[in-house]
Amino acid sequence: MTRKKWPWVAGGIAVVIAFATVTDAEEDVSVADNASILAAVATTPTATTPTVTTPADVSEPSLQLFVAPESDGGSRVEGALAQLNSLEVKGRAPKTGYDRDLFGQSWTDDVDVEGGHNGCDTRNDILKRDLVDIVYKPGSNNCAVQSGTLHDPYTGSTIAFTRGKSTSSAVQIDHVVALSDAWQKGAQQLDTRTRWNFANDPRNLRAVDGSANQQKSDGDAATWLPPNKAFRCDYVSAQVEVKAAYHLWVTRAERDAIERVLTNCDGAPAPAPAPAPAPAATTQAVPPPAPVVEQAPVMQGAPVQDAVTGPFANCAAARAAGAAPVYAGSPGYSPKLDRDGDGVGCEG
């Protein structure tokens, strides 16, 4: 009887070893992803050498779901400006209640956007889309990107990516519209499934330089733009596209910042010409000049907007001067007048 049990025990040990080998993955691979990799190992021969692919070699259906960002063309810029004009403009809501978990498990494949349910987690889907000269981790069924090269759109630099606990952070996946920013501009009203889709939508994701992603944090276009100016048109166009798709709003400062970028892109529509002056009347008699009425003197100590040299003491002073709302960068503005931090003070 004892001898008959040994084959079963040996088989169990083999399964444990196999599971330990497969789950020896870096921190950005979820438990669900490990399960999919285990299934792949059960049906895929063990690779003895890494699998190398280039964009020309890629034929997986999952990768065909993704389309690289379009170049700056007149139609895209005009479309982004039209979408921008369709977005609601209002102040930032409180961040109260925000939690990353409200947007689902990080990089889950269980979503309904492009790339969902393809057997590969979202992080690796985006790495596969945005990197070149890719080498896949053996036994991952061409899912886990082991190494590759990123031509970073945010900084314009080239980054050699190597998968590992101390090296993976060199290339990070950025949410073009940050999750926290989305939460404060309408995502609180989205249902759970839609928030999961938002967090994993390829339209809202870019593989980028890790340090640039950390500098951006959860900023919007009013507080952060890519250092690589050549990519800014694509960047803000993607933000507008995503916010329109998920019915999110923009603050006034954010909207103005996006509009400034788009109006300076190649293909932006020319500003409308000024109307021609009306022809001068030649047959009517010229009426006598109106009598000059002396203006009442300005009361001593009353605030005058044109004479403002520092911030208003409070919103009452700004309103008395006829300057409310006060915009960031204008005379009289200060952060204490701007309770929601959207670049517009005394707007209520």
Side-chain angles (χ1 to χ4, degrees):
M1 292 298 292
T2 302
R3 286 195 299 272
K4 291 182 181 179
K5 292 182 180 179
W6 279 113
W8 178 85
V9 174
I13 294 173
V15 171
V16 171
I17 293 174
F19 181 81
T21 302
V22 173
T23 55
D24 184 22
E26 62 178 295
E27 61 277 11
D28 61 11
V29 177
S30 67
V31 174
D33 301 327
N34 287 330
S36 65
I37 294 174
L38 278 172
V41 171
T43 57
T44 306
T46 302
T48 56
T49 58
T51 303
V52 182
T53 66
T54 63
D57 298 326
V58 171
S59 60
E60 294 94 330
S62 60
L63 294 186
Q64 294 174 0
L65 294 170
F66 304 114
V67 180
E70 301 174 21
S71 60
D72 292 331
S75 59
R76 174 162 191 179
V77 174
E78 291 179 7
L81 283 168
Q83 282 189 320
L84 178 63
N85 290 331
S86 73
L87 297 180
E88 186 177 7
V89 179
K90 59 182 183 179
R92 184 188 297 270
K95 194 175 177 179
T96 307
Y98 170 74
D99 191 301
R100 173 62 180 83
D101 291 343
L102 293 169
F103 290 83
Q105 179 182 330
S106 296
W107 312 132
T108 177
D109 190 36
D110 182 21
V111 287
D112 306 316
V113 292
E114 289 183 331
H117 305 287
N118 67 353
C120 193
D121 63 277
T122 301
R123 173 178 165 81
N124 279 294
D125 279 336
I126 301 303
L127 291 175
K128 290 166 69 174
R129 184 193 68 184
D130 292 352
L131 271 60
V132 297
D133 303 325
I134 293 172
V135 176
Y136 292 108
K137 186 175 182 179
S140 69
N141 201 26
N142 284 2
C143 172
V145 175
Q146 183 73 32
S147 63
T149 300
L150 172 70
H151 299 296
D152 176 42
Y154 284 4
T155 64
S157 61
T158 299
I159 302 172
F161 169 77
T162 302
R163 181 185 182 90
K165 290 184 177 180
S166 62
T167 57
S168 287
S169 61
V171 173
Q172 299 178 12
I173 307 301
D174 177 45
H175 288 94
V176 178
V177 176
L179 302 185
S180 172
D181 179 69
W183 178 259
Q184 297 175 79
K185 296 174 184 175
Q188 293 185 37
Q189 284 75 51
L190 300 178
D191 61 69
T192 300
R193 192 69 183 172
T194 303
R195 286 199 297 267
W196 287 28
N197 289 337
F198 174 85
N200 293 275
D201 193 328
R203 292 175 295 181
N204 193 34
L205 300 173
R206 299 286 184 274
V208 299
D209 171 71
S211 60
N213 187 41
Q214 294 300 313
Q215 291 169 6
K216 172 190 172 180
S217 185
D218 60 355
D220 59 21
T223 60
W224 191 89
L225 289 169
N228 179 18
K229 294 182 179 180
F231 188 70
R232 289 181 178 179
C233 292
D234 275 315
Y235 177 77
V236 298
S237 295
Q239 287 190 323
V240 171
E241 178 185 4
V242 169
K243 290 207 166 186
Y246 287 89
H247 307 291
L248 307 178
W249 67 75
V250 291
T251 63
R252 171 59 60 183
E254 177 186 9
R255 186 202 178 283
D256 292 347
I258 293 173
E259 186 176 49
R260 283 195 297 271
V261 172
L262 291 175
T263 53
N264 286 286
C265 296
D266 292 339
T282 57
T283 59
Q284 296 181 354
V286 178
V292 176
V293 179
E294 186 176 352
Q295 296 285 340
V298 177
M299 295 179 60
Q300 183 67 28
V304 180
Q305 176 67 10
D306 292 340
V308 172
T309 58
F312 288 109
N314 50 47
C315 287
R319 294 189 183 96
V326 186
Y327 294 96
S330 65
Y333 174 87
S334 72
K336 74 176 184 179
L337 304 177
D338 185 4
R339 293 183 178 182
D340 57 8
D342 66 347
V344 184
C346 304
E347 58 189 312

